[in-house]
Amino acid sequence: MTKYLKGWLMPALAVLMMYMIAHGGWYMWAPWAFVLTVFLSADLFLPHDLSEPPKYQNAFLLNLPLYTILPMLALLNFTVLWLVGSGDLLGFGAWVQQHIGLDLFAARARTNHWGMWAGCILGVGLMNAVGGTVAGHELTHRTGRPFDLFMGRWMLAFTCDTSFAIEHVYGHHVRVATPADPATARRGESFYTFTVRSTIQSYVHAYQLEKARLAKLGKSVWNPFASPFLRGNLENIAMFVAAYLIAGLPGLGFWALLAFVGKQYLEITNYFEHYGLIRVPGEPVQPRHSWNSNHWGSTNVLWSLARHSHHHAEGEAPYWTLHAYPNAPMLPNGYLGMLLIALVPPLFKKFMTPALNEWDEKHASPAERKLAQQVSRESGMTGLKIVNAKLA
């Protein structure tokens, strides 16, 4: 049964985060500090996870931790917004004090500095992303399972990004590593430029994809009964309405910040997962068109998201079946390390320049090398080698 425990690392992290947040004050920084310390340590000091996925007999036990994330996120974000507000909505504070022994009223009183709330936004925004978006990403790939799609899209609403379920599955996986893909960062492009471009273009592409699909069926993209795109936007709006009902205008503003920060965590991940990679449009997507990572924390806490090369080779494969692909292009650090590095463009380029040179030389096809020559010259990045496109 121990092989089923890996999927519960993220729910366990969510429970621990709720406990820390419920203490208020400067404890609001504890979730972020804990994740930063433990996650980075696991990636830096534990051996890379090159294990092959074992054979499982019970898929329900592997799906269950994914399904638990939605109620956990709802409880975590309700607690935070309760702390932002006043009074005791639904008698929540009194119930927690009586049955769990945590004094949320005292926690609210001691959280009296903007710096405390900043820690809360960073920590809870991270949980909404690594919990909600990663689990939502897994579930929305299961296009033939309505329950999984329902759960996954609501998880994505915690980062106000339900259109991701459309653009990622039907757009990104088709156009990855080409100029037509908003979620593939270009060589020389900083994260701060990328996140604006990716956010706007991905949303527009999701709309265009859904409009074209429904037009073939004689239906409108503005019909909520037919359009997942519109339903997703209504779900996003519902989250803002809920925040207002829980904590008034302060809650509305706070939720906007939470959703924004959570979305940025997603976009940073998008940024480094395919940074600078090249694919000839129309050619099959191969493992070489994604940066992979077998760092222990990134692999085991994030439901094997870091085994990204296999994911793009087989998009609907469940997380517990993904292989390590040790010969795929590798990120120089684990996911959390890359997230921090990406925030400093000169440092990110320093790490990724040798990685791109290796990709051009060892992984690219001759046609991709030819394209790489052009984009490398246009990138403005120093240190990129112009590899002979005729090399086999």
Side-chain angles (χ1 to χ4, degrees):
M1 289 296 292
T2 55
K3 63 185 179 182
Y4 290 96
L5 295 178
K6 182 171 72 171
W8 290 96
L9 291 175
M10 183 67 74
L13 179 62
V15 171
L16 183 61
M17 186 171 288
M18 280 189 276
Y19 180 78
M20 295 173 178
I21 290 293
H23 285 77
W26 291 108
Y27 278 99
M28 292 290 197
W29 278 95
W32 171 242
F34 178 84
V35 172
L36 198 69
T37 302
V38 175
F39 207 122
L40 281 177
S41 297
D43 275 350
L44 288 172
F45 301 117
L46 292 180
H48 287 192
D49 184 356
L50 301 177
S51 62
E52 289 298 301
K55 293 183 178 180
Y56 294 96
Q57 289 77 39
N58 195 327
F60 175 76
L61 292 179
L62 296 157
N63 282 319
L64 188 58
L66 295 171
Y67 298 150
T68 62
I69 290 297
L70 182 58
M72 285 186 177
L73 288 182
L75 181 58
L76 172 63
N77 285 272
F78 178 87
T79 301
V80 169
L81 289 168
W82 185 97
L83 292 171
V84 171
S86 58
D88 187 16
L89 182 66
L90 303 177
F92 179 68
W95 188 93
V96 169
Q97 190 169 23
Q98 180 180 354
H99 293 88
I100 302 178
L102 293 173
D103 190 345
L104 293 182
F105 298 99
R108 175 190 280 162
R110 72 171 64 99
T111 311
N112 53 16
H113 189 277
W114 67 267
M116 300 173 181
W117 290 115
C120 177
I121 291 170
L122 287 175
V124 176
L126 180 64
M127 190 66 228
N128 288 346
V130 301
T133 301
V134 176
H137 164 261
E138 171 79 17
L139 293 175
T140 53
H141 266 285
R142 303 175 184 180
T143 54
R145 301 180 62 171
F147 177 76
D148 287 8
L149 287 174
F150 172 83
M151 295 286 286
R153 284 173 173 151
W154 272 109
M155 291 178 194
L156 294 172
F158 282 89
T159 53
C160 200
D161 197 26
T162 53
S163 61
F164 176 89
I166 300 168
E167 164 59 20
H168 178 82
V169 176
Y170 301 106
H172 172 63
H173 271 258
V174 175
R175 298 178 297 217
V176 64
T178 71
D181 178 32
T184 296
R186 301 160 184 167
R187 298 186 182 195
E189 185 176 27
S190 76
F191 163 68
Y192 303 100
T193 301
F194 168 82
T195 187
V196 176
R197 179 178 65 81
S198 176
T199 299
I200 295 173
Q201 291 183 4
S202 293
Y203 184 83
V204 171
H205 283 185
Y207 166 77
Q208 292 171 340
L209 284 168
E210 197 63 7
K211 182 180 179 181
R213 182 186 73 85
L214 289 171
K216 294 177 182 178
L217 302 174
K219 298 179 180 179
S220 171
V221 72
W222 304 112
N223 180 352
F225 298 101
S227 172
F229 177 81
L230 181 58
R231 288 201 301 272
N233 279 281
L234 293 175
E235 289 168 356
N236 294 337
I237 293 171
M239 301 296 277
F240 282 91
V241 172
Y244 176 78
L245 293 176
I246 295 168
L249 287 176
L252 191 65
F254 196 84
W255 176 255
L257 287 173
L258 273 179
F260 174 79
V261 169
K263 170 66 171 171
Q264 295 315 300
Y265 284 124
L266 165 65
E267 290 299 348
I268 296 175
T269 306
N270 281 337
Y271 176 66
F272 63 70
E273 282 182 331
H274 304 279
Y275 178 83
L277 298 182
I278 307 294
R279 180 172 65 91
V280 176
E283 293 292 320
V285 177
Q286 300 289 344
R288 69 176 182 271
H289 298 125
S290 304
W291 293 110
N292 205 46
S293 171
N294 291 318
H295 292 77
W296 195 95
S298 300
T299 300
N300 290 278
V301 179
L302 299 178
W303 289 301
S304 296
L305 177 69
R307 294 184 168 185
H308 210 62
S309 291
H310 186 179
H311 170 66
H312 268 273
E314 193 179 357
E316 294 187 4
Y319 75 89
W320 60 85
T321 67
L322 297 180
H323 294 268
Y325 279 30
N327 295 321
M330 292 292 167
L331 287 170
N333 283 274
Y335 267 45
L336 185 57
M338 292 304 302
L339 186 152
L340 297 174
I341 291 169
L343 294 174
V344 186
L347 184 62
F348 184 78
K349 290 181 181 179
K350 180 178 180 180
F351 275 92
M352 292 308 297
T353 296
L356 286 172
N357 285 332
E358 182 176 4
W359 188 89
D360 289 352
E361 182 177 354
K362 296 182 179 180
H363 296 283
S365 69
E368 288 166 348
R369 288 194 186 100
K370 187 174 182 179
L371 290 174
Q373 287 184 351
Q374 178 181 349
V375 298
S376 291
R377 291 191 184 98
E378 294 172 351
S379 70
M381 290 178 65
T382 58
L384 286 180
K385 300 176 183 178
I386 306 301
V387 179
N388 187 346
K390 295 182 180 180
L391 291 175

